[in-house]
Amino acid sequence: MHLTICWLYPTSMNIYGDRGNVLALERRAQWRGIDVTTIGAGIGEPLPEDVDLFFIGGGQDGEQVAVAHDLQGAKSEAIRRAVDDGAVLLAICGGYQLLGHEYRPHDAAPLPGIGLVDLVTVAGPERFIGNVVVESEFGTLVGFENHSGLTTLGPGVKPLGTVSVGRGNNGIDGFEGVRHRNVVGCYLHGSLLPKNPVLADWLITKALERRYGAVTLAPLDDAFEHEAHASATARAVATR
Ligand code: GLN
């Protein structure tokens, strides 16, 4: 099988090591004998055709201004069409904020989002920084957050999960992230996927199933991944 990953804005939207998510997706597919092609699509660059999985990482407000405007129009439409057709998308923090209708930063005019998910983000007075533990359909997810944006999901929009440690979407409703079709958006840096292998494999499986039908990934020896997950979760709980 073959997996095509489109890494959106690999240089602009890649803070706190979010590139580790792309490495984890590539390796966990390759370790199962799946061929992977990863294509970067930066500002002014076209989106590749026939993408199975989109990834966009986090970014500072300044980077998000240029990215938000570059996404408007044809790129947003192409991503929405692919997701409606079952393509997978993982968006972290600043990338997650741009999935919605709008992101209103502190020191810039409101930024238009892709309009993929019914959510809005507004920069708040406090920067949420710290470890995060989330209870989700993928089990316990662990990472860390560093954002001032406060994200509110529209009525009926499904969160990724509920926060057991940390602040999450807005520090008020107890939700973290968003789930929409085969889309996962969240504030979890870490990077997220190396220490949350269940989610990594779900993303790979869904991306392959759109092209090949039912897919069952061979199990991997995830001893290191589980140890990293347990260690990060224990640290998060101990320091909350
Ligand atoms: N600039 C956005 C915020 O501060 C996103 C930050 C990030 O991607 N870590 O909320």
Side-chain angles (χ1 to χ4, degrees), residues 13-16 18 57-64 92-97 103 105-106 111 121-124 126-128 144-151 186-187 189:
M13 301 294 281
N14 176 31
I15 55 175
Y16 311 132
D18 285 340
Q60 307 292 2
D61 288 2
E63 302 288 3
Q64 287 173 280
I92 306 294
C93 202
Y96 162 39
Q97 295 171 336
Y103 168 47
H106 277 300
L111 302 178
T121 303
V122 181
E126 179 189 358
R127 177 158 285 272
F128 293 172
F144 74 86
E145 61 188 330
N146 184 330
H147 60 104
S148 64
L150 304 174
T151 298
C186 66
Y187 278 111
H189 295 290

Side-chain angles (χ1 to χ4, degrees), residues 15-203:
I15 55 175
Y16 311 132
D18 285 340
R19 66 190 298 271
N21 292 299
V22 176
L23 295 177
L25 290 165
E26 290 174 335
R27 296 293 179 278
R28 295 188 69 84
Q30 291 161 345
W31 289 335
R32 283 133 165 165
I34 298 163
D35 294 325
V36 181
T37 302
T38 300
I39 305 168
I43 291 178
E45 296 175 345
L47 289 185
E49 297 289 325
D50 220 12
V51 171
D52 299 312
L53 193 158
F54 292 93
F55 172 74
I56 182 168
Q60 307 292 2
D61 288 2
E63 302 288 3
Q64 287 173 280
V65 173
V67 167
H69 293 297
D70 186 72
L71 275 170
Q72 284 311 295
K75 282 190 181 177
S76 287
E77 284 156 27
I79 293 169
R80 284 198 303 268
R81 261 198 319 275
V83 166
D84 285 347
D85 184 52
V88 168
L89 187 151
L90 173 65
I92 306 294
C93 202
Y96 162 39
Q97 295 171 336
L98 294 178
L99 297 185
H101 303 298
E102 187 175 71
Y103 168 47
R104 298 179 215 140
H106 277 300
D107 304 321
L111 302 178
I114 296 175
L116 188 65
V117 189
D118 180 13
L119 62 87
V120 174
T121 303
V122 181
E126 179 189 358
R127 177 158 285 272
F128 293 172
I129 300 175
N131 297 311
V132 185
V133 177
V134 177
E135 303 309 324
S136 80
E137 65 193 280
F138 307 104
T140 301
L141 300 172
V142 63
F144 74 86
E145 61 188 330
N146 184 330
H147 60 104
S148 64
L150 304 174
T151 298
T152 304
L153 305 181
V157 176
K158 188 179 169 193
L160 173 59
T162 53
V163 176
S164 56
V165 176
R167 310 297 292 275
N169 280 345
N170 50 52
I172 297 170
D173 61 19
F175 293 147
E176 161 52 18
V178 72
R179 279 280 286 109
H180 167 77
R181 300 178 65 89
N182 289 335
V183 174
V184 171
C186 66
Y187 278 111
L188 296 178
H189 295 290
S191 45
L192 173 66
L193 296 183
K195 58 172 80 74
N196 295 284
V198 172
L199 176 55
D201 285 353
W202 181 86
L203 294 165

